[in-house]
Amino acid sequence: MTEDNNYREGLDVLAEHYREIITLLGEDPEREGLLKTPMRVAKAMQVLTRGYYQDPKKVLTDALFEEKYNQMVIVKDIDFYSMCEHHMLPFYGKAHVAYIPNGRITGLSKIARVVDIFSHRLQVQERLTQQIKDCINETLRPLGVMVVIEARHMCMQMRGVERQNSITTTSDFCGAFNQAKTREEFMNLIRG
């Protein structure tokens, strides 16, 4: 991070690259409306990729508690925004996360923070789903974890196939969620 703000080193270099991109797109970066755009975009990109500099496992272990509860814990409808690594366009939606504790629980907000950290990296939805599941599984060592993500992809809506109403759903699970009955219970609970 730089001394006087929350932005990382390299911000000025990043802004210069965006200035060049604006020129290559056929615009004049000296035009009044574009004068501050390179720096604005550089700052935005650092915010949108802040997850590279955060440790999701530490987030979970900072609020770890011994607890004998061994039923499903679900945090659903976690809003997220991410950037598609293929086109660097946003995709966004909701994540639903469940785990079955095995003697330890974490603060509920920490589950949402894990989603936030991984979504603030260049991503594909499939990897995002798996990373969230793996992080919770490796850190909490629960009896099982399941993650379902539903998202809209601007790379499908603004370019390419240009389909406005399509939603992509991905899931990943392990442990007790390998049983169809447990997965079905989770799906019924998130559909409410």
Side-chain angles (χ1 to χ4, degrees), residues 21-156:
I21 288 169
I22 290 169
T23 301
L24 291 170
L25 292 174
E27 258 294 355
D28 176 9
E30 297 300 319
R31 185 166 60 79
E32 181 182 20
L34 293 174
L35 278 173
K36 295 182 181 179
T37 298
M39 184 56 74
R40 285 188 196 109
V41 177
K43 287 178 176 179
M45 289 306 291
Q46 282 200 354
V47 169
L48 294 172
T49 59
R50 69 179 180 245
Y52 288 117
Y53 299 90
Q54 298 173 324
D55 183 353
K57 290 183 179 182
K58 183 178 181 328
V59 166
L60 290 174
T61 58
D62 280 351
L64 203 56
F65 309 100
E66 298 292 323
E67 191 62 53
K68 295 197 183 295
Y69 186 80
N70 64 355
Q71 299 300 313
M72 199 178 302
V73 175
I74 300 172
V75 182
K76 69 178 192 171
D77 295 330
I78 303 167
D79 291 321
F80 76 90
Y81 300 87
S82 193
M83 295 287 284
C84 163
E85 70 180 34
H86 298 145
H87 304 100
M88 292 185 68
L89 289 171
F91 69 97
Y92 61 94
K94 295 191 180 296
H96 314 287
V97 180
Y99 75 100
I100 301 173
N102 188 16
R104 299 188 307 172
I105 61 170
T106 190
L108 297 175
S109 68
K110 305 308 179 188
I111 301 294
R113 291 264 297 128
V114 168
V115 172
D116 185 65
I117 289 169
F118 284 117
S119 67
H120 278 83
R121 300 176 180 184
L122 299 180
Q123 280 289 9
V124 294
Q125 184 173 333
E126 297 86 345
R127 182 186 320 115
L128 176 61
T129 307
Q130 187 174 32
Q131 286 176 329
I132 295 165
K133 187 259 316 179
D134 288 346
C135 178
I136 294 168
N137 189 50
E138 293 166 11
T139 308
L140 300 182
R141 300 280 182 215
L143 299 174
V145 180
M146 185 162 177
V147 177
V148 171
I149 294 180
E150 302 168 302
R152 294 180 182 273
H153 292 253
M154 297 307 284
C155 56
M156 285 181 60

Side-chain angles (χ1 to χ4, degrees), residues 1-21 35-50 53:
M1 301 282 182
T2 58
E3 301 162 3
D4 57 357
N5 58 41
N6 294 322
Y7 299 103
R8 300 186 299 273
E9 295 297 324
L11 187 63
D12 291 330
V13 175
L14 193 55
E16 272 307 307
H17 287 292
Y18 280 112
R19 187 179 181 340
E20 182 65 23
I21 288 169
L35 278 173
K36 295 182 181 179
T37 298
M39 184 56 74
R40 285 188 196 109
V41 177
K43 287 178 176 179
M45 289 306 291
Q46 282 200 354
V47 169
L48 294 172
T49 59
R50 69 179 180 245
Y53 299 90

